[in-house]
Amino acid sequence: MFQALNRNKFSAAIDLKDDAQREALRRFLVEKADVVLQNMRPGLIGKLGLDAALRKDNPRLIYCNMAAFGAQGPLVDRPGYDPLMQAFGGIMSVTGEDGGPPVRVGPSLVDVGTGMWAVIGILSALRRRDLTGEGCEIDTVFVRDGPVLGEHARGVVSRLRQGGRAGAATEHAGMVPYKVFGAKDGGVMIAGRQRQPVPPPRRRARPF
């Protein structure tokens, strides 16, 4: 796993509690780096003197923070990572089978999604720097990829009104069939597509 995730990367082991090593890292980031990306525990990076204040010494630096709940708000000091964000945001409430417990999605969707938004922000910042000569600070939030959105939101509201769990991953909130069915030789996924939207029910206009 380590080789798969870190192939062709250059690594350096630094004791951040050692003043000399921390200062060497600070100088390297200011003098050599185009982009700094950090996702340390909230508040720690500032105590180390390695936060976005580095841009005072290098205005061209692009500094990206990856945090569970962002840079402001009532939960700003709380740490978090993929499984916690899947639970907090509701992904686990719509994953699994009816009658079963909430289930974490196998792939780390929140980690990967947050990384994707960070890359998009960094690429946009690099393009902006090409035009203006200035870097910037970027905040990417893990919880942004955790909430249940889109068509699942309708299903969540409907299921909760009926007193059940928020939903099941094998079903779609607005299309039927849209789930795995048991067959003699195993499961088969059947996903029906709605050809035309169902028109809303007609209602008589109320007289004034």
Side-chain angles (χ1 to χ4, degrees), residues 68 80 109 114:
L109 296 180
T114 305

Side-chain angles (χ1 to χ4, degrees), residues 55 124 190 200 204:
R55 297 194 59 252
S124 300
I190 300 178
R204 293 183 179 180

Side-chain angles (χ1 to χ4, degrees), residues 11-193:
S11 299
I14 297 174
D15 182 358
L16 294 176
K17 295 181 180 179
D18 183 279
D19 293 342
Q21 294 185 51
R22 188 171 65 250
E23 177 58 23
L25 175 61
R26 195 195 73 81
R27 288 199 309 271
F28 175 83
L29 295 177
V30 169
E31 297 172 5
K32 302 290 186 180
D34 282 308
V35 178
V36 174
L37 191 151
Q38 72 84 20
N39 68 331
M40 287 187 171
R41 193 170 65 251
L44 180 57
I45 197 73
K47 293 178 181 178
L48 295 171
L50 298 172
D51 59 3
L54 294 172
R55 297 194 59 252
K56 294 179 181 178
D57 297 318
N58 180 6
R60 289 180 57 82
L61 184 66
I62 295 169
Y63 196 100
C64 181
N65 301 294
M66 298 176 71
F69 295 97
Q72 53 186 328
L75 303 178
V76 65
D77 294 327
R78 294 192 181 185
Y81 60 110
D82 185 272
L84 302 181
M85 294 300 102
Q86 286 198 30
F88 183 87
I91 292 178
M92 290 174 60
S93 72
V94 295
T95 307
E97 300 294 340
D98 283 337
V103 177
R104 176 187 176 273
V105 176
S108 297
L109 296 180
V110 176
D111 282 351
V112 174
T114 305
M116 178 188 70
W117 295 122
V119 169
I120 292 172
I122 290 168
L123 291 175
S124 300
L126 286 168
R127 178 57 180 149
R128 176 179 177 273
R129 190 178 69 179
D130 289 340
L131 299 174
T132 66
E134 289 287 322
C136 64
E137 183 178 5
I138 301 166
D139 287 309
T140 309
V141 183
F142 281 77
V143 75
R144 197 167 288 156
D145 286 280
V148 177
L149 301 175
E151 69 275 5
H152 271 303
R154 302 195 301 269
V156 168
V157 173
S158 175
R159 302 280 288 210
L160 291 177
R161 284 179 176 174
Q162 296 173 22
R165 195 158 72 83
T170 54
E171 299 181 21
H172 191 282
M175 289 186 276
V176 177
Y178 207 91
K179 62 184 292 184
V180 176
F181 293 88
K184 186 177 292 186
D185 58 349
V188 57
M189 179 69 192
I190 300 178
R193 188 176 72 86

